Amino acid sequence: MRTKPVEKIRIFALGGVGEIGKNMYVVELDDDIFVIDAGVMFPEDEMLGIDKVIPDISYLVERQDRIKAIFLTHGHEEHIGAIAYVLKKISVPVYGTKLTLGLAEAILKEQGITNAKLHEIRSNSEVLFDKAKVTFFRTIHSIPDSVGISIHTSQGAIVYTSDFKFDQTPYGKNRADLGKMAQIGEQGVLCLLSDSTNAERPGYTGSDTVVAQEIADVIYNAKGRVFIACYASNITRIQQVLHAAKTYGRKVAVVGKTLHKVMDIAVRLGYLHLPDKVTISIYDIDRYDDKELIILTTGGHGEPMSALARMAKQAHKQVNIKEGDTVIVAASVMPGYELGFAKTIDALYRAGADVIYRERKVHVSGHGCQEELKLMLNLMKPKYFIPVHGEYRMQKAHANLAKAVGISEDRTFLIDKGEVIEFRNGVARPGGKVPYGNILIDGLGIGDVGNIVLRDRRLLSQDGILIVVVTLSKDAKNIVAGPEIISRGFVYVRESETLLEEATKIVAAIINQCLQTYMMEWSSLKSNIREALGQFLFEKTKRKPMILPIIMEV
Amino acid sequence: MRTKPVEKIRIFALGGVGEIGKNMYVVELDDDIFVIDAGVMFPEDEMLGIDKVIPDISYLVERQDRIKAIFLTHGHEEHIGAIAYVLKKISVPVYGTKLTLGLAEAILKEQGITNAKLHEIRSNSEVLFDKAKVTFFRTIHSIPDSVGISIHTSQGAIVYTSDFKFDQTPYGKNRADLGKMAQIGEQGVLCLLSDSTNAERPGYTGSDTVVAQEIADVIYNAKGRVFIACYASNITRIQQVLHAAKTYGRKVAVVGKTLHKVMDIAVRLGYLHLPDKVTISIYDIDRYDDKELIILTTGGHGEPMSALARMAKQAHKQVNIKEGDTVIVAASVMPGYELGFAKTIDALYRAGADVIYRERKVHVSGHGCQEELKLMLNLMKPKYFIPVHGEYRMQKAHANLAKAVGISEDRTFLIDKGEVIEFRNGVARPGGKVPYGNILIDGLGIGDVGNIVLRDRRLLSQDGILIVVVTLSKDAKNIVAGPEIISRGFVYVRESETLLEEATKIVAAIINQCLQTYMMEWSSLKSNIREALGQFLFEKTKRKPMILPIIMEV
């Protein structure tokens, strides 16, 4: 190996462990920093009003001179979605395969970044740095051109599988680099970071070829139009649909901005083959018989359900579900979205559609189950193991699998975000913590919504707000106007007039009392109002609305 | 039959169809009204701040003289939880089995109702009315003393199965009245209303005896304390735990108010057998070795997860999870609570516990799967069929099962709430609609939160609120104080000072402009403020907070 020896290796995650999403892993070889992936996370329920979440990269910003490269492993938002935010703060070369860079470029363009240094790699590329040679291996995932990455150092290789499964009969030309993985394993893997998403599921993830047959079968048997909802990035699934359409003489109309965008990129870069005369505009569907039509769709963020929900409720601008339609939901439920998913299925049935989802294999996960994870562990034979890409229970389940194939517990590290594992002379031990965190994105604001704002939103969402306004004279001796109480999200005002009248009297009494007895700080007057009113309302209603006293002075 | 002939039968649901929860079915025999079940529903995500939901019973209130009886089929909240609200509005005899009435009485007591007319029935009881004889049949469900109900009329029997499964090896003494069901079927069922909860699931629901063995096995093998979280009403599960504790020489400490309440009632009425010297106080657990302890728990509403979550986070007042504990989650995930469930499992693992949930059969559903539903259909051989107790897709799946066993589609009615099916001379047809709805309960308020309040809470939860206060002189010519902008749940004020300063200037300009040009209605001034400020904020932040202008006059 032509690279210099490395004394100290440090590995940690800024995102992607203890959670699903915003993957970002950091490998430090002495002073050289390598970043792998830069993903977003879609917010959980309690993050009210938040659009997306990205990792806090202050650690990287402070050390940007030392960063040698960012590697992107595939084109999913959870792996590339934060790339624009990162490149706005640090200027560093980005490496990825053709499709991955194509999708990353679209994100950069939207955010107005045009000067990014993008380096296309192929699965047989070797990228040479001072202390490491970086190589790649093709994996099978739900988006083409996915790779794992191997950082070869003097202490051994650091391997990050990224998202993968082992489909032995994959659809299309994608094949996993099994031989190369075995070779990396034979050469000596110091530490493996592997995908824990399905570590709780026994067996194997089904094959995409079976899915293709199943989808074709549903299309063949459908008596009317066929709607197919899938993830915008699932180019394999889209190819399957286009192929089945061609076979059975149907036309495909594409609905959804994200879907159009991804398909354009995939076609331009050669990852999606459009059969002759198969796609039509959604505005032309009336020119065809129902039996000649397929409508391919995704909703906002490229997820499949939101557009379907509108179509089921007859609220979509372009096309709606009618009696006799067949709907294929080629997606699994995302954690936290189960109720919305079920409601959409209900709405589709109510609209008269035949809905194909769980019972038939019209979708499979892009992540390998237990047998596949064990196969990866056995191919790589790592000295140390860090299960990543998953909630804690998935990391834990993955650790159990590692134990089953012979990696002892003391060589497996169940890390949380920021926790460093340090390697010297090929021996690992915990290496302290680096700062990490969530940056919340709401509209255009990055990081201007934090815990206090979220706490307020949560409070507001539970029992609403009561605003108490009063105008006092400058000498603060008299009430000049008010007090007036305005409520939102608390009670029907019409039905609760007496309650609010009584509340107003209580507030007036408090204010007068305060004004008469002594000169009071406004802050104390406010807290007096808050306390008395809060107590009164809780007694009467057992609710605790936010109370906001506003004092004006004239 | 000694009952008078009935000309017109009407059947409809005020709750329980198109949803899981708040079961309430109505059978009208000419002028006589019979109500079956009076349940609550626990609110869905979008019902922000709501505690529970009950059916709107205005239809019944207006016709209360005609109501002959309310039948309660078993003691779950989804079937008896609204009984106090109903009896506050209408005074009518209530029929139920011993345990069901025991639990209903506890609810009535909490709500201060002491004069309810409760009639205990047994599974072999016959209740005679003018135009009907009502009989019951024992079913197996996750709470003892569950019955189905058969209303025998001159046109045939109306049968409501309520919640059931066919466990051929049930735990304890519960047995399903198979013979009686077959007999009812032989005598002629005009219409069957049956439980659709698991209509989408193939096969059979597992047996409670297998669960008992599995739980005993986990307890036997546990190296430290065993925590078991179950539904408070699942008396069968509780009995299994007490029995296993006795067998393996462990003590059981019970944690949770609802659990204590239900256990007290069940023991008093003879439905739960406490083995000698098995239960101990939670305050005495330090006197025992970890290997001698079982902690049995449920959280608020008697659901299993919330108490466990607190224990995992070391935030429970009485007992917390530590390294070496084994936790059995004897519960399935309720729809809409998947994320919270997963987070609790994570927290338990992080706290060092071994968690037993999905992989091992430590819980089974109380509702029968497809084979059991078909068995019920074949036993009852109804002329007409109404799938109830489920979301629309479950009703639909149940209708498909009915078709498979030979009940033609035109004899199956997929009803929504309020939709009436009318029977004359044994022939059914749609019979119009009756009013129905949701009454939302928030704290002490019943029905004072409706769509507007919920819409406000939703808006508030997304982007927060901006309050604009300004004091004008009486002649409305001048600004005397303000405008002042206060925000909650919108942005960090510290980080957004410039934004809010700019916003204040814009508002001041709008007000001055309005005041100078012409005498303006306050409502127009307010909408001008709302519009200008909303536009400015959306441009700057892509957010749409609620904007609330308040104008004071001095």
Side-chain angles (χ1 to χ4, degrees):
Chain A
M1 194 178 285
R2 290 166 303 168
T3 56
K4 288 189 198 155
V6 54
E7 201 178 309
K8 188 172 75 174
I9 301 174
R10 281 156 51 94
I11 301 179
F12 56 88
L14 290 176
V17 293
E19 65 194 12
I20 294 281
K22 69 175 170 67
N23 288 280
M24 180 174 262
Y25 306 95
V26 179
V27 177
E28 292 185 1
L29 307 179
D30 294 327
D31 282 342
D32 298 351
I33 298 178
F34 300 88
V35 180
I36 313 179
D37 286 338
V40 296
M41 186 166 74
F42 295 101
E44 299 176 338
D45 261 9
E46 65 235 48
M47 295 183 179
L48 295 166
I50 297 301
D51 299 323
K52 36 190 170 176
V53 185
I54 57 172
D56 183 339
I57 56 162
S58 334
Y59 179 88
L60 297 177
V61 173
E62 285 166 24
R63 291 158 183 83
Q64 50 180 305
D65 300 342
R66 291 165 45 194
I67 306 174
K68 301 299 168 196
I70 298 179
F71 297 99
L72 301 178
T73 57
H74 62 278
H76 278 153
E77 289 273 318
E78 289 84 355
H79 293 258
I80 65 167
I83 189 66
Y85 302 105
V86 171
L87 291 189
K88 273 181 197 169
K89 301 243 174 174
I90 53 183
S91 170
V92 50
V94 177
Y95 296 82
T97 54
K98 197 201 271 186
L99 179 62
T100 306
L101 288 190
L103 292 165
E105 238 181 327
I107 293 174
L108 292 171
K109 213 168 151 188
E110 273 170 24
Q111 302 268 336
I113 298 179
T114 51
N115 61 346
K117 289 167 276 181
L118 304 180
H119 299 273
E120 188 180 313
I121 51 124
R122 293 157 158 275
S123 62
N124 59 358
S125 299
E126 293 189 357
V127 189
L128 210 63
F129 296 92
D130 218 23
K131 295 189 174 174
K133 183 178 77 176
V134 179
T135 67
F136 309 91
F137 50 92
R138 274 193 310 257
T139 53
I140 303 287
H141 186 43
S142 43
I143 187 167
D145 234 9
S146 301
V147 293
I149 176 171
S150 178
I151 302 178
H152 302 270
T153 77
S154 61
Q155 290 189 39
I158 314 293
V159 177
Y160 168 63
T161 64
S162 194
D163 305 5
F164 75 95
K165 59 178 174 177
F166 284 110
D167 189 341
Q168 305 298 342
T169 56
Y171 187 84
K173 291 173 298 180
N174 312 319
R175 288 292 177 279
D177 271 336
L178 276 169
K180 196 162 185 184
M181 294 179 206
Q183 196 187 9
I184 295 169
E186 288 302 322
Q187 287 168 358
V189 173
L190 174 65
C191 184
L192 174 71
L193 290 81
S194 181
D195 172 9
S196 311
T197 314
N198 280 341
E200 294 181 295
R201 296 199 189 159
Y204 281 91
T205 297
S207 170
D208 273 312
T209 299
V210 176
V211 172
Q213 287 159 357
E214 199 74 10
I215 288 180
D217 199 42
V218 172
I219 291 173
Y220 174 74
N221 287 304
K223 295 191 182 77
R225 304 184 298 183
V226 178
F227 285 69
I228 300 171
C230 68
Y231 297 104
S233 61
N234 201 329
I235 291 159
T236 307
R237 201 72 70 245
I238 297 168
Q239 187 69 71
Q240 291 166 344
V241 171
L242 292 170
H243 186 75
K246 183 74 185 171
T247 307
Y248 299 120
R250 288 189 183 239
K251 301 294 180 192
V252 178
V254 176
V255 179
K257 226 171 77 179
T258 318
L259 189 55
H260 273 290
K261 192 185 75 182
V262 172
M263 284 177 69
D264 285 351
I265 295 171
V267 168
R268 178 164 51 80
L269 300 180
Y271 290 87
L272 184 67
H273 169 67
L274 284 186
D276 223 24
K277 293 179 188 162
V278 156
T279 54
I280 58 165
S281 157
I282 189 69
Y283 302 108
D284 287 341
I285 57 172
D286 293 341
R287 300 186 187 178
Y288 296 86
D289 281 352
D290 286 354
K291 274 219 62 155
E292 294 175 315
L293 286 170
I294 290 176
I295 289 106
L296 185 63
T297 182
T298 67
H301 296 307
E303 64 70 46
M305 300 309 282
S306 63
L308 268 193
R310 279 198 303 283
M311 291 174 186
K313 286 174 194 152
Q314 311 297 308
H316 197 278
K317 274 178 281 184
Q318 296 168 317
V319 58
N320 287 304
I321 301 291
K322 64 181 186 188
E323 187 84 37
D325 287 341
T326 300
V327 179
I328 299 178
V329 181
S332 36
V333 197
M334 301 219 304
Y337 292 85
E338 293 85 354
L339 204 67
F341 187 93
K343 279 186 182 297
T344 300
I345 303 289
D346 264 338
L348 290 166
Y349 273 124
R350 280 180 202 273
D354 192 13
V355 190
I356 316 287
Y357 60 118
R358 211 164 32 193
E359 323 89 277
R360 296 189 64 172
K361 258 206 156 350
V362 289
H363 179 66
V364 288
S365 170
H367 304 268
C369 292
Q370 292 181 346
E371 294 308 312
E372 292 157 273
L373 300 181
K374 285 188 279 184
L375 175 54
M376 180 63 88
L377 284 158
N378 281 330
L379 283 169
M380 292 295 173
K381 298 182 293 184
K383 188 169 174 190
Y384 293 100
F385 175 53
I386 305 179
V388 295
H389 201 289
E391 304 269 2
Y392 187 80
R393 65 186 181 284
M394 302 165 188
Q395 295 175 266
K396 175 97 181 171
H398 205 173
N400 289 341
L401 297 177
K403 197 176 158 194
V405 304
I407 299 169
S408 64
E409 274 176 86
D410 57 339
R411 290 175 184 263
T412 296
F413 295 98
L414 277 176
I415 58 168
D416 200 354
K417 284 176 278 290
E419 281 176 17
V420 181
I421 305 300
E422 198 176 290
F423 301 80
R424 283 176 194 266
N425 299 317
V427 178
R429 59 160 187 220
K433 292 206 92 177
V434 301
Y436 68 93
N438 282 335
I439 303 288
L440 309 183
I441 299 183
D442 179 1
L444 295 183
I446 302 170
D448 63 346
V449 172
N451 287 333
I452 298 172
V453 174
L454 283 185
R455 195 205 55 196
D456 282 350
R457 288 185 187 172
R458 241 180 331 259
L459 279 176
L460 289 167
S461 77
Q462 287 307 299
D463 287 325
I465 187 169
L466 253 88
I467 300 142
V468 181
V469 204
V470 64
T471 308
L472 302 180
S473 61
K474 271 249 162 32
D475 55 5
K477 281 271 155 57
N478 296 302
I479 297 179
V480 187
E484 216 176 294
I485 294 183
I486 297 111
S487 82
R488 285 291 183 276
F490 175 55
V491 287
Y492 269 145
V493 175
R494 250 185 313 171
E495 302 216 347
S496 312
E497 267 179 32
T498 349
L499 181 75
L500 294 183
E501 273 167 27
E502 242 181 291
T504 312
K505 276 181 203 155
I506 286 173
V507 171
I510 288 278
I511 297 171
N512 280 321
Q513 192 190 337
C514 290
L515 294 182
Q516 279 158 28
T517 45
Y518 46 87
M519 276 301 293
M520 202 176 219
E521 291 285 327
W522 279 12
S523 62
S524 325
L525 176 55
K526 281 181 185 176
S527 72
N528 279 0
I529 293 174
R530 224 179 265 124
E531 201 177 305
L533 190 54
Q535 204 180 326
F536 168 75
L537 293 173
F538 187 72
E539 269 167 27
K540 289 286 181 183
T541 67
K542 286 277 178 287
R543 295 180 207 170
K544 293 178 173 176
M546 182 187 281
I547 295 172
L548 189 62
I550 301 174
I551 301 171
M552 309 274 289
E553 196 181 49
V554 292
Chain B
M1 197 179 287
R2 291 166 301 168
T3 55
K4 287 188 198 156
V6 53
E7 201 177 306
K8 187 172 74 174
I9 300 174
R10 280 155 51 95
I11 300 179
F12 54 89
L14 291 176
V17 294
E19 65 193 11
I20 294 280
K22 71 177 170 67
N23 289 280
M24 180 175 261
Y25 306 95
V26 179
V27 176
E28 292 185 3
L29 307 179
D30 293 328
D31 283 341
D32 298 350
I33 298 177
F34 301 88
V35 180
I36 313 179
D37 286 337
V40 296
M41 185 165 74
F42 295 102
E44 299 175 339
D45 262 9
E46 65 234 49
M47 295 183 179
L48 296 166
I50 297 300
D51 299 321
K52 36 190 171 177
V53 186
I54 56 171
D56 182 340
I57 57 163
S58 333
Y59 179 89
L60 297 177
V61 172
E62 286 166 23
R63 291 159 184 81
Q64 51 180 304
D65 301 342
R66 290 165 44 193
I67 306 175
K68 301 299 169 197
I70 297 179
F71 296 99
L72 301 178
T73 58
H74 62 279
H76 279 153
E77 289 273 318
E78 290 84 354
H79 293 258
I80 65 167
I83 189 68
Y85 302 105
V86 171
L87 291 188
K88 273 179 195 168
K89 300 242 174 176
I90 54 184
S91 169
V92 49
V94 178
Y95 295 82
T97 55
K98 196 201 272 186
L99 180 63
T100 306
L101 289 190
L103 292 165
E105 239 180 327
I107 294 173
L108 292 170
K109 213 169 153 189
E110 274 170 24
Q111 302 269 334
I113 298 179
T114 50
N115 61 345
K117 289 167 277 180
L118 304 180
H119 299 274
E120 188 181 313
I121 53 126
R122 293 157 157 272
S123 62
N124 59 359
S125 298
E126 295 190 356
V127 189
L128 210 62
F129 297 93
D130 218 23
K131 295 188 174 175
K133 184 178 76 177
V134 178
T135 68
F136 309 90
F137 50 93
R138 273 192 310 256
T139 53
I140 304 286
H141 186 42
S142 44
I143 187 167
D145 234 10
S146 302
V147 293
I149 176 172
S150 178
I151 302 177
H152 303 268
T153 77
S154 62
Q155 290 189 39
I158 314 293
V159 177
Y160 168 62
T161 64
S162 195
D163 303 5
F164 74 95
K165 59 178 175 177
F166 283 111
D167 189 341
Q168 305 299 342
T169 57
Y171 187 84
K173 290 173 297 180
N174 313 318
R175 289 291 177 279
D177 271 335
L178 276 170
K180 197 162 184 184
M181 294 180 205
Q183 194 188 13
I184 294 169
E186 289 301 321
Q187 287 168 358
V189 172
L190 175 64
C191 183
L192 174 71
L193 291 80
S194 181
D195 173 9
S196 309
T197 313
N198 281 340
E200 294 180 295
R201 297 200 188 158
Y204 280 91
T205 297
S207 170
D208 273 313
T209 298
V210 176
V211 172
Q213 287 158 357
E214 200 73 11
I215 287 181
D217 199 40
V218 173
I219 290 174
Y220 174 73
N221 287 303
K223 293 189 185 77
R225 304 185 297 182
V226 178
F227 285 68
I228 301 171
C230 69
Y231 296 104
S233 62
N234 201 329
I235 291 159
T236 306
R237 201 71 70 245
I238 297 167
Q239 186 70 71
Q240 291 166 344
V241 171
L242 292 170
H243 186 74
K246 183 76 186 171
T247 307
Y248 299 120
R250 288 188 184 241
K251 301 294 179 191
V252 178
V254 176
V255 178
K257 226 171 78 178
T258 318
L259 188 55
H260 273 291
K261 192 185 77 182
V262 172
M263 283 178 70
D264 285 350
I265 294 169
V267 168
R268 179 166 48 84
L269 300 180
Y271 290 88
L272 184 68
H273 168 67
L274 283 187
D276 222 24
K277 294 179 188 162
V278 156
T279 54
I280 58 166
S281 158
I282 188 69
Y283 301 108
D284 287 340
I285 57 172
D286 293 342
R287 301 185 187 181
Y288 296 85
D289 282 349
D290 287 354
K291 273 219 65 155
E292 294 177 314
L293 287 170
I294 291 176
I295 288 107
L296 185 63
T297 181
T298 68
H301 295 310
E303 63 70 45
M305 299 310 282
S306 62
L308 267 194
R310 278 198 303 282
M311 291 174 186
K313 287 173 193 150
Q314 311 298 311
H316 196 279
K317 273 177 283 183
Q318 296 167 317
V319 59
N320 288 304
I321 300 291
K322 65 180 185 189
E323 188 82 36
D325 287 341
T326 300
V327 180
I328 300 178
V329 182
S332 35
V333 198
M334 301 219 305
Y337 292 83
E338 292 86 355
L339 205 66
F341 187 92
K343 278 186 184 296
T344 300
I345 302 290
D346 264 339
L348 289 166
Y349 273 124
R350 280 181 201 272
D354 191 14
V355 191
I356 315 286
Y357 60 119
R358 212 164 33 191
E359 324 89 277
R360 296 190 64 171
K361 258 204 157 351
V362 289
H363 179 67
V364 289
S365 169
H367 304 269
C369 292
Q370 292 182 346
E371 294 309 311
E372 293 157 271
L373 300 181
K374 286 188 277 184
L375 175 55
M376 181 62 88
L377 284 158
N378 281 330
L379 283 168
M380 291 295 174
K381 300 182 291 184
K383 189 171 175 189
Y384 294 99
F385 175 52
I386 304 179
V388 295
H389 202 287
E391 304 270 1
Y392 186 80
R393 64 186 183 284
M394 302 166 189
Q395 295 175 268
K396 175 100 183 172
H398 206 173
N400 289 340
L401 296 177
K403 198 176 158 193
V405 303
I407 299 169
S408 64
E409 275 176 85
D410 58 339
R411 290 177 183 262
T412 296
F413 295 98
L414 278 176
I415 58 168
D416 199 355
K417 284 176 279 291
E419 282 177 17
V420 180
I421 305 299
E422 198 177 290
F423 302 79
R424 283 174 194 267
N425 298 317
V427 178
R429 60 163 186 216
K433 290 206 93 176
V434 301
Y436 68 93
N438 283 336
I439 304 289
L440 309 182
I441 299 182
D442 178 2
L444 294 182
I446 302 171
D448 63 345
V449 171
N451 288 332
I452 298 173
V453 174
L454 283 186
R455 194 204 56 197
D456 282 349
R457 288 183 187 174
R458 246 185 321 267
L459 280 176
L460 290 168
S461 77
Q462 287 307 297
D463 288 324
I465 186 168
L466 255 88
I467 300 143
V468 181
V469 204
V470 63
T471 308
L472 302 180
S473 62
K474 271 248 162 32
D475 56 6
K477 281 269 154 58
N478 296 300
I479 296 178
V480 187
E484 215 177 295
I485 295 184
I486 296 110
S487 83
R488 284 294 182 274
F490 174 54
V491 287
Y492 269 145
V493 175
R494 251 186 312 171
E495 303 217 344
S496 312
E497 266 180 32
T498 350
L499 181 76
L500 293 183
E501 272 168 28
E502 242 183 292
T504 311
K505 276 181 202 154
I506 287 174
V507 171
I510 288 279
I511 297 171
N512 280 321
Q513 192 191 339
C514 290
L515 293 182
Q516 278 158 30
T517 44
Y518 45 88
M519 276 303 292
M520 202 176 218
E521 291 283 328
W522 279 12
S523 62
S524 324
L525 176 56
K526 281 180 185 177
S527 70
N528 280 359
I529 293 173
R530 223 179 267 125
E531 203 176 302
L533 190 55
Q535 206 179 324
F536 168 76
L537 293 172
F538 187 72
E539 271 167 26
K540 291 284 179 183
T541 66
K542 287 277 177 288
R543 297 180 206 171
K544 293 179 175 176
M546 182 186 281
I547 295 172
L548 189 63
I550 301 174
I551 301 172
M552 308 275 289
E553 196 181 50
V554 292

